Amino acid sequence: LDGDTGYGNFNNVRRLVRDVLDFDVALSRPMTFDAGQFVVLETPDIAGGRAYSMVNFDRATGRLRLVVKEMAGGKFSQWLFGSDPSGRELAVFGPLGRATFHPEEGKDVLCVAGGSGIAAMMSILERAVREVHQPHDTEHQRQPRREQRVEAAEQDALQNGVHVRHRPVPLRSRNRRPR
């Protein structure tokens, strides 16, 4: 395996919806990872670990941001959602995984995800926007609306020879729970 074991603490735990948590893991030492990679988290309270993809992307970061969906019957999930894990220590093994984005390769990017699988895509998109679509200096300008920002990013990409097709498609899960 390519990973390394370190330690961290749960931090900034936020419940996004009933069954989804967003939290940071403050690392004991910096970690460098590629956009799209994941780590395995272990707590002394549960045998074995659970893999989660990072949402953020930074080099030599001291913080991992994760989004986790509660899984019925999952021991780690029950532990995580059953009480506030803030401040608790955990082992962090990683980074792992090869489904990564490298802008220097000059390849097109197509991200398809469902549910909490969007986590790795968010990391990939963060790196793509940061390194491929350099934002213009807008320090003294009003913040444009979302549609204007998307259009500006598409225009910038086309000027740099990157072909962008952006079309949000709403999807419904077949196994939606009744409300």
Side-chain angles (χ1 to χ4, degrees):
L1 295 176
D2 295 341
D4 188 21
T5 301
Y7 295 90
N9 293 85
F10 287 96
N11 217 340
N12 301 319
V13 178
R14 298 166 296 278
R15 190 173 294 265
L16 300 179
V17 293
R18 181 185 56 78
D19 60 348
V20 177
L21 289 180
D22 173 63
F23 59 89
D24 295 338
V25 175
L27 300 170
S28 59
R29 65 176 188 257
M31 177 186 288
T32 294
F33 62 91
D34 289 321
Q37 286 193 295
F38 65 94
V39 291
V40 175
L41 304 182
E42 293 185 18
T43 177
D45 302 328
I46 299 168
R50 181 69 172 94
Y52 297 107
S53 296
M54 283 74 84
V55 173
N56 62 317
F57 172 75
D58 277 311
R59 292 290 183 198
T61 186
R63 177 187 70 87
L64 303 178
R65 183 168 168 229
L66 305 170
V67 173
V68 175
K69 181 172 176 55
E70 184 176 22
M71 299 304 294
K75 289 185 186 343
F76 196 91
S77 186
Q78 289 173 347
W79 178 86
L80 188 61
F81 283 81
S83 64
D84 183 8
S86 296
R88 308 265 316 254
E89 186 176 77
L90 66 157
V92 180
F93 183 76
L96 300 165
R98 296 195 175 144
T100 58
F101 171 64
H102 301 277
E104 67 276 5
E105 293 176 355
K107 295 182 179 178
D108 292 334
V109 177
L110 171 65
C111 295
V112 177
S116 59
I118 192 129
M121 303 304 117
M122 292 172 68
S123 177
I124 288 170
L125 291 172
E126 183 175 326
R127 184 170 187 193
V129 168
R130 185 185 306 162
E131 296 184 21
V132 177
H133 307 294
Q134 294 296 323
H136 299 290
D137 182 11
T138 58
E139 186 176 336
H140 301 292
Q141 299 175 10
R142 280 188 63 190
Q143 181 69 6
R145 291 179 35 210
R146 181 185 181 284
E147 294 84 10
Q148 292 168 323
R149 291 192 313 264
V150 169
E151 187 176 308
E154 289 174 348
Q155 298 239 338
D156 187 47
L158 287 172
Q159 288 174 357
N160 290 310
V162 178
H163 299 284
V164 177
R165 284 178 284 187
H166 174 267
R167 186 177 65 135
V169 178
L171 300 174
R172 290 186 170 229
S173 174
R174 289 178 194 224
N175 59 359
R176 287 184 77 187
R177 294 181 186 149
R179 293 181 188 219

